[in-house]
Amino acid sequence: MTGAGEVQTTRGAVDAGELGTTLIHEHLFVQHPELQLNFPHPEWDEAAAVERAVDGLRRLWDLGVRTVVDLTVLGLGRDVARVARVAERSAVRIVVSTGYYTADVLPAYFHTHGPGLLVDGPDPLTEFFVRDLTEGVAGTGIRAGMLKVVTDRPGLTADVQRVLTAAAEAHLHTGVPITTHTHAASRNGLDQLRFLTGRGVAPERVIVGHSGDSEDLDYLRALMDTGATIGMDRFGMEHVLPDERRVAVVLDLLRLGYADRMVLSHDAAFFSQVTPPSWRAVHAPNWHMENIPRRIVPRLVAGGATEADLHQLLVANPARLLAPAKES
Ligand SMILES: [Zn+2]
């Protein structure tokens, strides 16, 4: 069992109070190993990608970032051994995660394995998440420090419910927080929260991710008024919503007193097969992990955010959320 306040990183457990400035929703490498094996992406070069990540993390350290949470779970090509090779050359701490990224269906394996299925037994998803959180990921000995689940346009499909249920069980067993991917335009963070709280998860232990894609203050306040934290976690994704408007929403919510209910991040990656570097360079030039320290913090300050607000958003809230807490 995890000790109170200890956060798992690639270099072992650290006290949540030592995490410092934290980017809580990022990706090192988003990949598709099966596609890569059969239809290699022309821009993927593993050695070059590792160097790019090491260089990127060095620049982040110089900008004051101390911890990055890599939310690359299964479905996004997770390779924690590769992440560890980057982390061992970086001063910035990396927290890895477990969970399953699917907007609709799980792979066929999960349709034959589980309670009442052809290969009858307990749900392998729960066993897998708990093992990642308590023993370590794929033989690396590195324990996951966060759970990640997804609902997108299709909503709470049967398989999405199965992932959320397994994540809730793993959360109750370990106290590790749950972060989510939502489709903010359909306001489905509320359905997600209802589903998770219905399975015993306290809203205070959930980050409703991608909420920053929305400018609907009523929706965002409804999420936070449950006690949940919202992820204003796609700065630089200006093809979805320009940063200027993302900043305006954060400033509005700060004025309304929600500093302790928001976290800031980019959902960026050093390499993503989904939106490769050549595409990002043209269509989303600010979508990288230096955007918050370089462009967004100065804009927040210009709009009235205080030093205390910034500390709350970038240091105190991530530390509070990442520190495992058992439900009483
Ligand atoms: Zn993400």
Side-chain angles (χ1 to χ4, degrees):
M1 288 293 152
T2 315
E6 283 205 325
V7 180
Q8 298 297 325
T9 77
T10 53
R11 286 200 290 273
V14 300
D15 192 88
E18 290 172 31
L19 294 175
T21 295
T22 299
L23 298 176
I24 204 162
H25 190 133
E26 306 293 348
H27 300 274
L28 266 60
F29 312 107
V30 175
Q31 261 270 322
H32 195 302
E34 192 183 15
L35 262 180
Q36 192 55 32
L37 195 61
N38 294 284
F39 184 51
H41 195 281
E43 291 180 52
W44 173 252
D45 171 338
E46 178 167 18
V50 165
E51 292 310 312
R52 187 181 154 100
V54 169
D55 287 349
L57 289 169
R58 189 176 300 128
R59 288 194 301 275
L60 284 179
W61 177 270
D62 292 341
L63 290 164
V65 174
R66 294 293 174 262
T67 303
V68 169
V69 181
D70 184 352
L71 290 180
T72 310
V73 294
L74 270 75
L76 295 174
R78 185 180 74 168
D79 183 342
V80 169
R82 183 190 295 134
V83 169
R85 290 202 294 280
V86 173
E88 67 198 18
R89 295 171 56 195
S90 303
V92 173
R93 270 182 223 94
I94 310 289
V95 174
V96 304
S97 54
T98 191
Y100 215 108
Y101 186 101
T102 178
D104 40 32
V105 292
L106 285 162
Y109 168 83
F110 294 101
H111 296 163
T112 55
H113 289 69
L117 298 176
L118 195 59
V119 186
D120 200 2
D123 193 334
L125 273 180
T126 311
E127 180 192 346
F128 167 55
F129 294 168
V130 169
R131 185 187 298 171
D132 277 359
L133 293 164
T134 58
E135 292 172 33
V137 173
T140 60
I142 296 167
R143 288 162 59 183
M146 198 169 228
L147 283 150
K148 157 93 170 281
V149 300
V150 172
T151 51
D152 205 283
R153 282 187 187 83
L156 291 163
T157 67
D159 279 4
V160 166
Q161 291 190 35
R162 195 168 156 191
V163 174
L164 266 64
T165 299
E169 285 171 12
H171 164 77
L172 293 175
H173 188 64
T174 61
V176 164
I178 299 175
T179 192
T180 77
H181 164 114
T182 58
H183 183 241
S186 50
R187 298 167 54 112
N188 66 15
L190 290 166
D191 304 331
Q192 232 172 27
L193 274 176
R194 255 191 304 276
F195 189 89
L196 290 170
T197 55
R199 276 146 192 82
V201 179
E204 288 78 9
R205 303 301 297 145
V206 179
I207 301 173
V208 181
H210 308 338
S211 298
D213 287 350
S214 172
E215 297 176 282
D216 180 345
L217 295 190
D218 291 336
Y219 167 60
L220 299 173
R221 294 177 73 179
L223 291 171
M224 293 185 286
D225 289 343
T226 67
T229 298
I230 60 173
M232 312 307 267
D233 53 17
R234 283 180 149 179
F235 281 100
M237 278 184 76
E238 301 201 83
H239 51 294
V240 177
L241 187 70
D243 279 350
E244 195 184 324
R245 287 160 64 185
R246 294 178 186 272
V247 166
V249 172
V250 171
L251 289 169
D252 282 344
L253 293 173
L254 285 175
R255 280 189 284 272
L256 290 166
Y258 288 101
D260 65 341
R261 288 284 168 261
M262 294 185 278
V263 284
L264 310 183
S265 208
H266 308 92
D267 200 12
F270 292 113
F271 176 90
S272 172
Q273 193 153 335
V274 182
T275 44
S278 59
W279 183 90
R280 291 185 184 212
V282 173
H283 299 282
N286 296 316
W287 193 18
H288 53 72
M289 291 175 219
E290 294 169 45
N291 187 35
I292 287 173
R294 288 193 189 280
R295 290 174 72 246
I296 303 305
V297 165
R299 288 172 188 211
L300 288 170
V301 170
T306 65
E307 276 303 313
D309 289 334
L310 293 169
H311 187 268
Q312 187 81 47
L313 296 168
L314 289 163
V315 180
N317 294 343
R320 179 190 76 229
L321 289 154
L322 285 165
K326 289 278 168 45
E327 311 307 332
S328 51

